Protein backbone atom coordinates (compact mmCIF):
# COMPACT_ATOMS: atom_id res chain seq x y z
CA UNK A 1 0.00 0.00 0.00
CA UNK A 2 1.09 3.58 -0.60
CA UNK A 3 2.01 5.25 2.68
CA UNK A 4 1.14 8.93 2.95
CA UNK A 5 3.27 10.86 5.44
CA UNK A 6 2.05 14.27 6.56
CA UNK A 7 4.17 16.78 8.43
CA UNK A 8 3.98 18.45 10.81
CA UNK A 9 1.48 16.70 13.08
CA UNK A 10 0.44 20.05 14.53
CA UNK A 11 0.82 23.55 13.13
CA UNK A 12 0.32 26.40 15.60
CA UNK A 13 -0.40 29.57 13.66
CA UNK A 14 -1.48 33.17 14.10
CA UNK A 15 -4.39 34.50 12.07
CA UNK A 16 -3.16 36.22 8.93
CA UNK A 17 0.01 34.11 8.73
CA UNK A 18 0.86 31.76 5.89
CA UNK A 19 0.49 28.03 6.59
CA UNK A 20 2.24 25.23 4.75
CA UNK A 21 1.44 21.52 4.91
CA UNK A 22 3.57 18.71 3.56
CA UNK A 23 2.45 15.33 2.26
CA UNK A 24 4.85 12.70 0.94
CA UNK A 25 3.98 9.38 -0.64
CA UNK A 26 5.99 6.16 -0.53
CA UNK A 27 5.77 5.85 -4.30
CA UNK A 28 5.01 8.10 -7.24
CA UNK A 29 1.37 9.11 -7.58
CA UNK A 30 1.65 9.67 -11.33
CA UNK A 31 -1.03 7.52 -12.97
CA UNK A 32 -0.45 5.79 -16.30
CA UNK A 33 -3.02 8.18 -17.78
CA UNK A 34 -0.79 11.15 -16.95
CA UNK A 35 -2.86 12.45 -14.02
CA UNK A 36 -1.72 12.58 -10.40
CA UNK A 37 -4.55 11.84 -8.02
CA UNK A 38 -3.59 13.74 -4.89
CA UNK A 39 -6.27 15.59 -2.98
CA UNK A 40 -6.42 17.73 0.14
CA UNK A 41 -9.26 17.89 2.65
CA UNK A 42 -10.11 19.98 5.69
CA UNK A 43 -12.08 18.47 8.52
CA UNK A 44 -13.52 20.95 10.97
CA UNK A 45 -14.49 19.78 14.42
CA UNK A 46 -17.60 17.60 14.35
CA UNK A 47 -18.02 17.77 10.58
CA UNK A 48 -17.26 15.59 7.57
CA UNK A 49 -14.07 16.17 5.59
CA UNK A 50 -14.50 18.75 2.84
CA UNK A 51 -12.43 18.68 -0.30
CA UNK A 52 -10.18 21.66 -0.97
CA UNK A 53 -7.85 20.59 -3.77
CA UNK A 54 -7.90 17.77 -6.31
CA UNK A 55 -5.24 16.52 -8.70
CA UNK A 56 -2.48 18.37 -6.84
CA UNK A 57 -3.43 21.95 -7.57
CA UNK A 58 -7.08 22.31 -8.66
CA UNK A 59 -9.26 24.20 -6.22
CA UNK A 60 -12.68 22.64 -5.74
CA UNK A 61 -15.75 24.75 -6.38
CA UNK A 62 -16.16 27.47 -3.76
CA UNK A 63 -12.70 27.07 -2.22
CA UNK A 64 -11.07 30.48 -1.63
CA UNK A 65 -7.99 31.33 -3.67
CA UNK A 66 -5.88 31.68 -0.52
CA UNK A 67 -5.59 27.87 -0.75
CA UNK A 68 -3.07 26.52 -3.24
CA UNK A 69 -1.61 23.11 -3.92
CA UNK A 70 1.62 22.12 -5.61
CA UNK A 71 4.02 19.24 -6.07
CA UNK A 72 4.66 16.21 -8.21
CA UNK A 73 5.68 12.59 -7.98
CA UNK A 74 5.97 11.91 -4.27
CA UNK A 75 6.18 15.35 -2.71
CA UNK A 76 3.17 17.65 -2.28
CA UNK A 77 2.38 20.90 -0.48
CA UNK A 78 -0.77 22.75 0.49
CA UNK A 79 -0.44 26.43 1.34
CA UNK A 80 -2.81 28.93 2.87
CA UNK A 81 -1.66 32.44 2.10
CA UNK A 82 -3.37 34.15 5.06
CA UNK A 83 -5.02 31.95 7.64
CA UNK A 84 -8.55 32.89 8.64
CA UNK A 85 -10.54 31.55 11.63
CA UNK A 86 -12.64 29.22 9.45
CA UNK A 87 -9.45 27.48 8.25
CA UNK A 88 -8.77 25.84 11.61
CA UNK A 89 -9.11 22.08 11.76
CA UNK A 90 -7.31 18.97 10.54
CA UNK A 91 -5.91 18.76 7.00
CA UNK A 92 -5.64 15.38 5.29
CA UNK A 93 -4.05 14.36 2.02
CA UNK A 94 -5.38 11.45 -0.01
CA UNK A 95 -3.87 9.52 -2.88
CA UNK A 96 -6.30 7.78 -5.24
CA UNK A 97 -3.89 6.76 -7.94
CA UNK A 98 -3.11 3.33 -6.53
CA UNK A 99 -5.52 0.90 -4.92
CA UNK A 100 -6.10 0.78 -2.04
CA UNK A 101 -6.51 4.53 -1.75
CA UNK A 102 -4.76 5.91 1.32
CA UNK A 103 -4.92 8.98 3.52
CA UNK A 104 -2.26 10.72 5.53
CA UNK A 105 -2.63 10.94 9.31
CA UNK A 106 -3.48 14.61 9.19
CA UNK A 107 -2.02 17.95 10.29
CA UNK A 108 -3.91 19.93 12.88
CA UNK A 109 -3.98 23.67 12.20
CA UNK A 110 -4.54 25.50 15.48
CA UNK A 111 -4.04 28.92 16.96
CA UNK A 112 -0.71 29.71 18.53
CA UNK B 1 -27.26 20.56 -4.65
CA UNK B 2 -25.53 17.25 -4.02
CA UNK B 3 -26.89 15.44 -0.97
CA UNK B 4 -25.67 12.19 0.57
CA UNK B 5 -27.47 10.80 3.62
CA UNK B 6 -26.18 7.71 5.38
CA UNK B 7 -28.39 5.58 7.60
CA UNK B 8 -28.17 2.22 9.31
CA UNK B 9 -25.48 2.82 11.90
CA UNK B 10 -25.84 1.02 15.18
CA UNK B 11 -24.24 -0.72 18.14
CA UNK B 12 -23.68 -4.35 17.15
CA UNK B 13 -21.94 -7.34 18.68
CA UNK B 14 -18.78 -8.83 17.17
CA UNK B 15 -19.54 -11.38 14.49
CA UNK B 16 -22.88 -9.81 13.59
CA UNK B 17 -23.95 -8.05 10.40
CA UNK B 18 -25.12 -4.56 9.52
CA UNK B 19 -26.14 -2.83 6.31
CA UNK B 20 -25.53 0.86 5.68
CA UNK B 21 -27.51 2.84 3.15
CA UNK B 22 -26.54 6.08 1.42
CA UNK B 23 -29.43 7.88 -0.24
CA UNK B 24 -28.36 10.50 -2.73
CA UNK B 25 -29.80 13.36 -4.77
CA UNK B 26 -28.72 16.37 -6.78
CA UNK B 27 -26.60 14.62 -9.42
CA UNK B 28 -26.79 11.88 -12.05
CA UNK B 29 -26.28 8.90 -9.78
CA UNK B 30 -26.14 6.31 -12.54
CA UNK B 31 -22.90 7.80 -13.90
CA UNK B 32 -21.22 8.27 -10.53
CA UNK B 33 -18.44 6.28 -8.90
CA UNK B 34 -19.28 5.94 -5.23
CA UNK B 35 -17.09 5.16 -2.23
CA UNK B 36 -17.33 4.36 1.44
CA UNK B 37 -14.66 5.82 3.74
CA UNK B 38 -14.48 5.32 7.49
CA UNK B 39 -12.90 7.27 10.33
CA UNK B 40 -11.72 5.48 13.43
CA UNK B 41 -12.14 6.85 16.96
CA UNK B 42 -8.47 7.86 16.66
CA UNK B 43 -9.53 10.05 13.68
CA UNK B 44 -7.62 8.08 11.05
CA UNK B 45 -9.40 8.05 7.70
CA UNK B 46 -9.49 4.75 5.81
CA UNK B 47 -10.88 4.16 2.35
CA UNK B 48 -13.15 1.11 2.51
CA UNK B 49 -14.72 0.37 -0.86
CA UNK B 50 -15.60 1.72 -4.28
CA UNK B 51 -18.25 0.86 -6.86
CA UNK B 52 -18.10 2.14 -10.39
CA UNK B 53 -20.98 2.86 -12.77
CA UNK B 54 -22.93 0.51 -15.05
CA UNK B 55 -20.72 1.61 -17.95
CA UNK B 56 -17.79 0.19 -15.96
CA UNK B 57 -19.69 -3.04 -15.25
CA UNK B 58 -20.29 -1.95 -11.64
CA UNK B 59 -16.68 -2.88 -10.81
CA UNK B 60 -15.97 -3.01 -7.09
CA UNK B 61 -12.79 -2.62 -5.05
CA UNK B 62 -12.10 -3.11 -1.35
CA UNK B 63 -9.57 -2.39 1.34
CA UNK B 64 -7.76 -5.54 2.40
CA UNK B 65 -9.07 -5.10 5.95
CA UNK B 66 -12.69 -5.62 4.80
CA UNK B 67 -12.30 -7.84 1.74
CA UNK B 68 -14.49 -10.92 2.01
CA UNK B 69 -16.56 -9.42 4.82
CA UNK B 70 -17.99 -6.21 3.33
CA UNK B 71 -19.94 -5.82 0.07
CA UNK B 72 -20.62 -2.54 -1.67
CA UNK B 73 -23.61 -2.39 -4.00
CA UNK B 74 -25.87 0.17 -5.62
CA UNK B 75 -29.41 0.60 -6.89
CA UNK B 76 -29.44 3.18 -9.67
CA UNK B 77 -33.26 3.25 -9.65
CA UNK B 78 -33.13 4.48 -6.05
CA UNK B 79 -29.95 6.58 -6.38
CA UNK B 80 -28.59 4.69 -3.42
CA UNK B 81 -25.40 2.90 -2.49
CA UNK B 82 -25.08 0.27 0.22
CA UNK B 83 -22.46 -1.31 2.40
CA UNK B 84 -23.25 -4.79 3.70
CA UNK B 85 -20.94 -5.54 6.61
CA UNK B 86 -20.66 -9.12 7.83
CA UNK B 87 -18.52 -10.76 10.51
CA UNK B 88 -18.01 -7.40 12.17
CA UNK B 89 -14.96 -6.90 14.39
CA UNK B 90 -14.29 -4.37 17.12
CA UNK B 91 -11.77 -2.69 14.85
CA UNK B 92 -14.59 -1.90 12.40
CA UNK B 93 -15.87 0.65 14.93
CA UNK B 94 -15.87 3.97 13.08
CA UNK B 95 -17.88 6.71 11.48
CA UNK B 96 -18.74 5.55 7.96
CA UNK B 97 -18.98 8.15 5.21
CA UNK B 98 -20.50 7.76 1.79
CA UNK B 99 -18.75 9.86 -0.83
CA UNK B 100 -19.41 10.85 -4.41
CA UNK B 101 -16.13 10.43 -6.27
CA UNK B 102 -14.25 11.34 -3.06
CA UNK B 103 -15.40 14.94 -3.51
CA UNK B 104 -18.79 15.23 -1.85
CA UNK B 105 -19.25 13.54 1.53
CA UNK B 106 -22.26 12.64 3.60
CA UNK B 107 -22.57 13.51 7.27
CA UNK B 108 -21.48 10.03 8.29
CA UNK B 109 -23.06 7.30 10.41
CA UNK B 110 -21.63 5.70 13.53
CA UNK B 111 -21.00 1.97 13.70
CA UNK B 112 -19.92 0.57 17.06
CA UNK B 113 -18.88 -3.05 17.34
CA UNK B 114 -18.74 -4.15 20.94
CA UNK B 115 -19.97 -6.93 23.19
Amino acid sequence: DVVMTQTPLSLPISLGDQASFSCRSSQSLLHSNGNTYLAWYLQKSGLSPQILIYRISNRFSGVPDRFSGSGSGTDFTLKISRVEPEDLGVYYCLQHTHLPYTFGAGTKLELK
Amino acid sequence: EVQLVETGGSLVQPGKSLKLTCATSGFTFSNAWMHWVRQSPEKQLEWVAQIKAKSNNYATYYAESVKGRFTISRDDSKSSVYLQMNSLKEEDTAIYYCTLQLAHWGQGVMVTVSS
Side-chain angles (χ1 to χ4, degrees), chain A residues 41 43 48 51 92 99 101 105, chain B residues 39 43 61 97 102 106-107:
Chain A
Y41 299 83
Q43 187 174 31
S48 306
I51 191 166
Y92 295 94
L99 284 163
Y101 306 143
Chain B
Q39 187 167 37
K43 302 302 183 186
Y61 307 90
Y97 295 101
L102 299 170
Q107 85 286 351

Side-chain angles (χ1 to χ4, degrees), chain B:
Chain B
E1 181 193 1
V2 171
Q3 290 202 333
L4 307 164
V5 179
E6 303 98 332
T7 56
S10 179
L11 168 63
V12 63
Q13 292 180 327
K16 300 296 188 183
S17 298
L18 201 61
K19 186 173 185 177
L20 304 182
T21 296
C22 174
T24 78
S25 62
F27 62 98
T28 305
F29 181 82
S30 57
N31 294 339
W33 294 6
M34 301 297 296
H35 303 253
W36 287 94
V37 174
R38 66 186 181 183
Q39 187 167 37
S40 67
E42 296 76 29
K43 302 302 183 186
Q44 179 60 50
L45 289 165
E46 180 185 19
W47 172 83
V48 173
Q50 176 188 25
I51 186 165
K52 293 188 175 181
K54 182 178 181 180
S55 57
N56 307 107
N57 297 316
Y58 298 122
T60 58
Y61 307 90
Y62 297 92
E64 203 60 41
S65 58
V66 307
K67 201 175 289 186
R69 299 188 300 122
F70 289 13
T71 302
I72 188 171
S73 61
R74 63 192 292 159
D75 185 337
D76 290 349
S77 68
K78 295 183 178 178
S79 297
S80 294
V81 61
Y82 309 96
L83 188 67
Q84 176 67 46
M85 304 185 292
N86 299 331
S87 304
L88 281 161
K89 306 175 180 181
E90 290 189 352
E91 51 264 41
D92 295 319
T93 293
I95 297 173
Y96 284 74
Y97 295 101
C98 163
T99 103
L100 163 62
Q101 294 170 182
L102 299 170
H104 299 271
W105 294 53
Q107 85 286 351
V109 64
M110 186 70 209
V111 173
T112 303
V113 184
S114 174
S115 53

Side-chain angles (χ1 to χ4, degrees), chain A residues 7 34 36 52 62-63:
Chain A
T7 55
T36 299
L52 300 171
V63 175

